């Protein structure tokens, strides 16, 4: 139950929505599926005085643009993303990632834009503080970090847990952002500040309008893995996404990208390891060791750093093997 | 004629249609005109003195109709156990001091939730912080912060602090037993904090009207709730009516009195309006009662052939802030230890230790999974060390029929030996055991293992209200109304009672309507929390039906000019065996009864109590006295898969072979088995209430991970039938609703060992622990 009063608006277009958000300033918030925002309002980590709902705006179906890239409306429900034939055929990794989110009930409400802009998570943060943990932590505007008392002032280790963001980063997606002053385009990776206190680069009243995913090259391979405790209805312990392109010999890797989610304030990439994969015949075991050592996973939800690193190592190797086999046309 | 038509059949549940269509009324659906919302102010500290409370601002807020603290109560204490040794120890709201985070201090009733919340925020409390203690071993040490003084009987002999109670028992001579043993082993096993996971939250609606308190509360037994509420409110039982509502799960977490129930009642009495409290899931996770993590220190001695000669147990229960069921679980842990295996020399000590955690409740299995995990794990280790297989060592020690137990109980037709044999055969356990350890497969990181665990469980014991009554009222047309205090928590009590009455009176299931679990209109009932409902209330129902049947037969014999023993009942008719044309319908017989028996409308009464000649529950302190007259037995096997690179393990297949006497409704029994297997699987791999300094870290379903449908393992089962049902006679059924969370947990641990060689000494069986164990093994091998 949300135990405070707030206003609610339901404009007919995203333009009107930005205008409404802009009028109220930082205290207003866009409401898409609400599956992330409502729980956060319930525990009062955010207490917007105005909700601008997009429920009156019909998202356009995913479509192929003239340049071969695919445009996805940010308001697309995750369940529609999973079911869309275009996505299944052309971007199967995206369909798979969307399918791993939460449960069917959440996916029919949750949107792609909301998934990308979901708040970072931490056990202490995602609960009401009326008698538990009554001292607010840094991220709640207070003066401590309960789980990591060694953290410097305003350093927050809450983790970003989107299942889909790492896929869009790996696929070089672009975001079309609508603001009070019109639209701008950014690379998917530039959505994130890397700062747990304030994870997104979006300005006041800015809305992600659409996501553009460029076509993939020949001999492209991908692998996706989400480690969880119970498989369904579960945020990831660690999420591992690998894409690569093989040379014509079917052995040499032209380039590769590795993106991790759920283990940092934003998606993480082992860029040095990625560089080492360029124009090389890959040894998945060695790369897995290097990549898991290169990043520094944040402990979260009861999982310690050592365990996370080990899990990431094993699944990086397995995911890389399947990405290579995918590029070789074996799966 | 002894062919059973209803009993022994998987008839459809009485409550099924209401539940699947959403018509079922749960407490949360009860809405009364003018109803107020209640909210509770809880302690933010694990241990503190309350210096002062200022309610003035909260009381002055518009829309607030009532604010209460302990000063608004009569100061009558209550407790899960209320005996001379363990007198009531809990106030209805905190007085002077709080001893756990979330402890209830004050409550408000207001016109809506937002106002109630605002009122809570206006209550000023000054605290003086006291040092807390969370670890039971630390709490026991002399000089640690005192939560409550140690029990005087314990303090006489021992200098431990914070001992809420102790159970001591034993027989034979353990010293001598260990001296005679060929092999002795000592281990320590630890279990973790889990919660019940009832989907329906704690909800209470109370309405004080015309000097009567009407209550709807999510519970496991209306009569237990009435007794406790009436007591703390100082009202006669006749002034408190606990109404029936459907219950959305309890698993042990909804027995005993909860503060919010008192608050709803008291606030309704003060405001004259109905008051409703619904606990949020966060409150349930952080302030309500969970299960009980036990430390089991276990020493066992055996002969070369695996015969147990001596066993010594020391159990430490992290029992939380009040006595709760903490002293019960250390008693029960003794029972679950001694029931399945013969141990000639045994010494048992169980300590219930106060800590600044929330108070503890029973949780499905109530100590059994924790001790069976320890004993069954150690038994496998011993078997391996002395070179015999897991089945042989169990068969050598398992109880046989008619054995008398050290407490003078009798196991009657115990089917344990057969359960073990069937389980071994069906899983092919001996042949499979050790396969992947001996020759690990080269092409995969998955290792398979198989393990067994056994358990025994009581089937009803003596705790207030000790007995169940049932009334069968025949209607003029031959259909029947049944009054029973039994509560259907989803286990199917109403269905089973209807089956029994249909059988005894030769009625159709649809001829019978049940009025249940209403303290004003139904007879008293033991409730659904001591694993005896089908046995105790079921026999009361059978007796009530037999009683009505006898009346029908007397009247019919008179009308039909035959003797009653020539008559049988069939489909609402009474028929002469010697001349089947001579028959009367129930309608005719009942009319004749009213006409010729001074208006007797044919009402049958029945009542039952387990161990009818025993005065009381056995002593919690010494275990002396009878415990139960029906022991259920089971052997369960687990087949697991473990990924040795990631440590991730899963239960692939479970088998439950069990002796529940006989199943009155096999479909319901199967539901219980599958439910328990999936609950144990959650226990083994997923569920943990994580705490830090008395605060709960994971307060939602997302972060406390119960298994979903996708995690359920294949669950097979087989009955070992040891009893039977005959119309007109009392019967024995045995427990089937909670004991089966135990053997399977142990079986999973044993199967993980079998797959990997990693022996786990604590639950849950997380990938971290399994990986750590594998690394240690690698180090050893090097
Ligand atoms: C039980 C449960 C399980 C979950 N499991 C997962 C999981 O496994 N994996 C996972 O990734 N997520 C999970 N989530 C998180 C979340 O629900 C989903 O990620 C979902 O896609 C969020 O979308 P929404 O439309 O509901 O977002 P909302 O809650 O409506 O919005 C979330 C945030 O994004 C902002 N926002 C929304 N749309 C836009 C936009 N177009 N432009 C700019 N800002 C925007 C909102 O203002 C808000 O701050 C889970 C949530 C729940 C309740
Ligand atoms: S990690 Fe961030 S959200 Fe969590 S307690 Fe620390 S500051 Fe707060």
């Amino acid at each position: 139950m949300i135990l405070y009063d707030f206003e609610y608006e339901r404009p007919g277009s995203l333009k009107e929505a930005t205008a409404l958000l802009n009028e109220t300033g930082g205290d207003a918030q866009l409401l898409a599926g609400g599956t992330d925002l409502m729980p956060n309002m319930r525990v009062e980590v955010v207490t917007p005085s105005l909700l601008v709902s997009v429920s009156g705006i019909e998202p356009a179906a995913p479509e192929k643009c003239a340049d071969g890239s695919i445009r996805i409306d940010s308001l697309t429900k995750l369940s529609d993303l999973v079911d869309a034939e275009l996505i299944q055929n052309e971007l199967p990794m995206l369909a798979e990632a969307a399918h791993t989110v939460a449960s069917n009930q959440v996916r029919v409400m949750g949107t792609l834009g909301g998934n990308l802009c979901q708040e970072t998570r931490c056990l202490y943060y995602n609960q009401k503080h009326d008698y538990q943990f009554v001292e607010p932590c840094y991220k709640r505007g207070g003066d401590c970090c309960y789980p990591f008392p060694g953290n410097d002032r305003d350093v927050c280790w809450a983790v970003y847990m989107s299942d889909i963001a790492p896929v869009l980063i790996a696929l070089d997606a672009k975001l079309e952002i609508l603001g009070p002053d019109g639209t701008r385009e950014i690379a998917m990776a530039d959505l994130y500040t890397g700062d747990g206190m304030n994870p997104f680069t979006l300005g006041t009243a800015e809305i992600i309008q659409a996501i553009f995913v460029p076509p993939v090259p020949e001999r492209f391979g991908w692998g996706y893995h989400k480690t969880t405790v119970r498989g369904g209805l579960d945020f990831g312990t660690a999420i591992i996404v690998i894409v690569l392109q093989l040379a014509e010999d079917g052995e040499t890797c032209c380039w590769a990208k590795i993106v991790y989610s759920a283990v940092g304030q934003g998606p993480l990439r082992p860029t040095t390891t990625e560089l080492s994969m360029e124009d090389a015949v890959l040894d998945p075991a060695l790369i897995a060791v290097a990549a898991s050592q290169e990043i520094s996973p944040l402990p979260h939800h009861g999982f310690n750093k050592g365990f996370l690193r080990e899990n990431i190592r094993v699944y990086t190797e397995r995911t890389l093997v399947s990405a290579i086999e995918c590029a070789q046309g074996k799966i | 004629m002894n062919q059973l038509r209803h009993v022994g059949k998987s008839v459809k549940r009485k409550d099924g249609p209401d539940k699947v269509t959403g018509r079922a009324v749960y407490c949360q659906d009860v809405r009364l005109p003018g109803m107020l919302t209640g909210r509770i102010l809880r302690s933010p500290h694990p241990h503190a003195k309350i210096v002062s409370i200022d309610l003035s601002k909260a009381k002055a807020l518009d829309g607030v109709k009532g604010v209460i603290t302990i000063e608004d109560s009569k100061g009558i204490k209550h407790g899960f156990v209320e005996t001379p040794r363990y007198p009531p120890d809990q106030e209805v709201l905190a007085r002077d001091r709080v001893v756990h985070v979330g402890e209830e201090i004050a409550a408000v009733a207001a016109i809506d939730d937002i106002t109630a919340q605002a009122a809570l925020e206006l209550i000023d409390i000054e605290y003086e912080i006291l040092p807390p203690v969370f670890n039971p071993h630390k709490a026991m040490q002399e000089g640690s912060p005192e939560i409550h003084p140690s029990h005087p009987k314990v303090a006489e002999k021992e200098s431990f602090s914070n001992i809420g109670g102790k159970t001591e028992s034993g027989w034979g001579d353990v010293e001598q037993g260990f001296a005679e043993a060929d092999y002795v082993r000592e281990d320590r096993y630890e279990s973790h904090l889990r919660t019940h996971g009832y989907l329906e939250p704690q909800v209470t609606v109370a309405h004080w009207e015309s000097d009567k308190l009407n209550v709807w509360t999510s519970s496991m037994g209306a009569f237990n709730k009435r007794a406790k509420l009436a007591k703390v409110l100082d009202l006669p039982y006749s002034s408190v009516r606990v109404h029936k509502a459907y219950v959305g799960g309890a698993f042990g977490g909804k027995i005993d009195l909860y503060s919010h129930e008192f608050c709803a009642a008291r606030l309704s009495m003060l405001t004259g309006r109905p008051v409703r409290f619904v606990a949020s899931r966060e409150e349930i996770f952080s302030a309500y009662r969970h299960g009980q993590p036990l430390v089991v220190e276990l020493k066992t001695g055996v002969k070369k052939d695996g015969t147990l000669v001596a066993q010594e147990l020391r159990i430490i229960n992290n029992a939380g802030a009040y006595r709760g069921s903490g002293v019960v679980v250390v008693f029960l842990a003794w029972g679950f230890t001694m029931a399945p295996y013969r141990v000639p020399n045994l010494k048992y000590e169980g300590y219930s230790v106060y800590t600044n955690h929330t108070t503890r409740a029973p949780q499905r299995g109530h100590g059994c999974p924790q001790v069976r995990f320890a004993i069954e794990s150690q038994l496998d280790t011993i078997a391996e060390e002395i070179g015999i297989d897991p089945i042989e060592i169990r068969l050598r020690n398992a109880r046989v029929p008619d054995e008398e137990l050290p407490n003078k109980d009798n196991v009657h037709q115990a089917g344990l030996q057969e359960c073990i044999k069937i389980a071994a055969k069906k899983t092919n356990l001996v042949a499979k055991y050790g396969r992947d350890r001996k020759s690990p497969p080269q092409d995969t990181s998955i290792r398979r293992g198989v393990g067994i665990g056994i358990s025994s469980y009581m089937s009803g014991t003596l705790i207030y209200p000790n007995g169940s009554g049932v009334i069968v009222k025949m209607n003029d047309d031959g259909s029947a109304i049944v009054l029973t205090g039994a509560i259907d928590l989803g286990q199917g009590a109403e269905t089973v009672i209807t089956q029994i009455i249909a059988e005894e009176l030769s009625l159709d299931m649809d001829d019978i309507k049940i009025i249940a679990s209403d303290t004003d209109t139904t007879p008293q009932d033991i409730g659904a929390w001591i694993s005896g409902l089908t046995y105790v209330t079921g026999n009361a129902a059978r007796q009530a039906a037999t009683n009505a049947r006898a009346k029908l037969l007397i009247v019919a014999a008179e009308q039909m000019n035959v003797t009653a023993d020539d008559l049988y009942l069939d489909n609402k008719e009474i028929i002469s065996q010697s001349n089947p044309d001579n028959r009367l319908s129930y309608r005719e017989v009942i009319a004749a009864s009213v006409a010729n028996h001074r208006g007797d409308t044919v009402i049958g009464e029945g009542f039952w109590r387990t161990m009818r000649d025993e005065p009381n529950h056995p002593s919690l302190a010494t275990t002396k006295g009878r415990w139960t007259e029906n022991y259920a037995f089971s052997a369960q096997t687990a087949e697991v898969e473990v990924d040795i690179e990631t440590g991730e393990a899963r239960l692939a297949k479970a088998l439950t072979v069990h002796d529940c006497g006989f199943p009155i409704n096999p479909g319901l029994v199967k539901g219980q088995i599958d439910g328990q297997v999936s609950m144990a699987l959650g226990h083994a791999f997923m569920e943990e209430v994580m705490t830090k300094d008395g605060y709960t870290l994971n307060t939602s379903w997302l972060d406390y991970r119960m298994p979903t449908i996708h995690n359920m393992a294949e669950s097979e089962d087989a009955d070992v039938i040891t009893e039977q049902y005959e119309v007109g006679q009392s019967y024995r059924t045995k427990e089937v609703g909670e004991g089966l969370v135990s053997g399977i947990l142990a079986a999973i641990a044993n199967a993980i060992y079998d797959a990997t060689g990693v022996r786990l000494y604590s639950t849950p069986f997380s990938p971290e622990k399994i990986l750590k164990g594998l690394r240690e093994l690698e180090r050893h091998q090097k």
Side-chain angles (χ1 to χ4, degrees), chain A residues 120-126 136-140 144-148 151 154-159 196-197:
Chain A
T120 54
R121 303 181 68 84
C122 154
L123 286 177
Y124 298 77
Y125 186 67
N126 294 118
C137 70
Y138 297 140
K139 188 155 170 129
R140 261 181 134 113
C144 66
C145 172
Y146 310 106
F148 313 111
N151 272 359
D154 288 347
V155 171
C156 167
W157 281 5
V159 290
M197 294 286 289

Side-chain angles (χ1 to χ4, degrees), chain B residues 521-563:
Chain B
T521 60
T522 68
Q524 197 148 296
D525 189 86
I526 58 168
W529 58 289
I530 45 172
S531 279
L533 208 146
T534 302
Y535 171 59
V536 177
T537 310
N539 265 308
R542 182 202 49 77
Q543 204 181 60
T546 310
N547 193 222
R549 168 196 170 94
K551 290 187 180 181
L552 292 174
L553 286 173
I554 289 170
V555 177
E558 287 167 8
Q559 297 294 307
M560 292 161 70
N561 276 325
V562 292
T563 57

Side-chain angles (χ1 to χ4, degrees), chain B residues 545-569 574 584 586 588-590 592-594 596-597 600 602-603:
Chain B
T546 310
N547 193 222
R549 168 196 170 94
K551 290 187 180 181
L552 292 174
L553 286 173
I554 289 170
V555 177
E558 287 167 8
Q559 297 294 307
M560 292 161 70
N561 276 325
V562 292
T563 57
D565 55 14
D566 179 45
L567 296 175
Y568 68 94
L569 278 55
I574 300 184
L584 285 177
Y586 285 8
E588 290 165 316
V589 177
I590 293 163
S593 173
V594 172
N596 305 330
H597 284 254
D600 187 344
V602 189
I603 297 177

Side-chain angles (χ1 to χ4, degrees), chain A residues 94-204:
Chain A
L94 181 59
E96 179 172 326
H99 186 71
T100 68
V101 174
S103 66
N104 206 33
Q105 291 94 325
V106 174
R107 290 193 296 270
V108 294
M109 289 303 295
T111 64
L112 179 57
N115 185 280
L116 303 183
C117 296
Q118 62 180 280
E119 250 306 346
T120 54
R121 303 181 68 84
C122 154
L123 286 177
Y124 298 77
Y125 186 67
N126 294 118
Q127 62 169 296
K128 238 183 140 82
H129 288 210
D130 44 5
Y131 58 90
Q132 287 221 110
F133 308 114
V134 285
E135 290 273 313
C137 70
Y138 297 140
K139 188 155 170 129
R140 261 181 134 113
D143 223 8
C144 66
C145 172
Y146 310 106
F148 313 111
N151 272 359
D152 287 343
R153 204 166 197 297
D154 288 347
V155 171
C156 167
W157 281 5
V159 290
Y160 176 70
M161 306 186 85
S162 168
D163 294 333
I164 301 177
V167 169
L168 293 177
I169 292 176
L171 291 174
D172 267 336
K174 301 261 181 305
L175 302 180
E176 181 181 85
I177 291 168
L178 177 70
D181 306 323
T183 57
R184 64 186 177 104
E185 203 178 81
I186 61 168
M188 181 58 209
D190 294 336
L191 180 62
Y192 305 97
T193 62
D195 171 6
M197 294 286 289
N198 211 340
F200 304 102
T201 54
L202 293 181
T204 305

